[in-house]
Amino acid sequence: MPYIPHTDEDIAAMLEAVGTPSVSDLFTMIPAECRAGKDLDLPANLTEWELKDHMGALAEMTAREPEYTIFLGAGSYRHYVPESLTHILNRTEFVTSYTPYQPELSQGTLQAIYEYQTLMARLLGMEISNASLYDGASALAEALLMAARVTKRKTVALSNLIHPFYRDVVRTYLEPSGHEIIEISAGENGTTDCASLDNVDELAAVALQSPNFFGCIEALAQAADLAHKKQALFITVFTEPLAYGLYKNPGSLGADIVCGEGQSLGISQSFGGPGLGMFATKMEYVRHMPGRLVGRTKDVDGRDGYVLTLATREQHIRRGKATSNICTNNSLCALAATVYLASLGATGMRDLARLNYDKTEYLKELFRKARFEIPFPKPTFNEFVVKMPAGSESIYKRMLEKGIVAGLPLDPYYPELTDHYLLCVTEVISKEDMDALVTEAKS
């Protein structure tokens, strides 16, 4: 099967039909300095088996489980995915389903999305959830744009303890459209110091991540009060929603919009996607919300029915009224999260969160007893920062040679944190793995 559907003859026929001499002439409206101006430097063709060998060789260059014990989180987490979830997710009616525009044909898919929305709203403590977005980073950018629409202001404040990649995505979204971004610095305790906002007015939003990039739990209620005193919306973002099985959810702490990445909820790590952009807000802002919403109603016979109730892209409403150009979501990922949460139930969610917390505290205590510095004293979930001795790069490489990935070095993202590493523990890390990590670190 060819992967390029059009032959040269097909392309020539189409160009003739539109009266254009060449394909490149179709792109003349793009400034010349933004175009490559030459053919792409692609490698020679490979046979299918040569390509498979090549991809296998590339895969061998990475540290993979079970050959390696990996204490790396930083936005992507290894949790156990129940077999029941895999079975349901692979049913053909879900795998092959597409955008459910026709309710008479899509009741199962629509009901699954409705159930997803309900579970997300309950988990995050909010009144309404959309049917999901691409990933946590794009969900945060959409949340900030939504806050600008609601407040009619163009300045937003972001904690610099929000995932660095998320902040990059926000800059890509907001800066070209003239929005101003203020970064809020971290305090010495590993959480955001919002005092720098005291003299800043005309804010559309204040955004914090909790647990933040250092794994620390932020003081969300105080930050919400500050944002509301400035008539700004308070946005919280997360990369690890399992934390809300143990800690208070953002909705109960004053958040106006809650968004983040749902990969932890039954979606395997796949290094680049797909992800699950969770997004929830208060009902008063529902018409400003990006994405789409499935509602439940009754048919003429009084039976429950599910329909696409709100869709805010320009395909459905006037372009000037569209809130977002996101055209679809990763619906199969949303279904995975739904099945995962339904499988755990409220008790299972709390027990699993507690197990993750206890294991992380065990490793943290091991490092303390071995006289390593834990620089940030705030409560954490799943992740924490440890300071290694000076020249720790050699220790890190030695452990890597022994099959241990000892967390994420933080200095590429926070240059002042040389020799600091972000370590992650989930339920799949054993006591023996943690004991071996600390033994190697201090040897």
Side-chain angles (χ1 to χ4, degrees), residues 52 55-72 78 269 271 400 402-405:
K52 193 172 182 180
M55 298 303 289
L58 291 177
E60 289 298 324
M61 296 169 66
T62 63
R64 298 175 301 171
E65 293 167 322
E67 292 83 4
Y68 287 80
T69 305
I70 299 176
F71 293 87
L72 194 62
R78 188 165 78 97
Q269 293 175 294
F271 304 101
L400 192 60
K402 294 189 175 184
I404 300 173
V405 181

Side-chain angles (χ1 to χ4, degrees), residues 373-399:
E373 183 181 350
I374 307 295
F376 305 130
K378 287 289 184 178
T380 61
F381 186 80
N382 269 12
E383 293 177 287
F384 65 94
V385 176
V386 61
K387 184 179 181 183
M388 297 282 187
S392 60
E393 189 176 349
S394 60
I395 301 174
Y396 190 88
K397 288 181 178 176
R398 175 168 51 77
M399 288 195 281

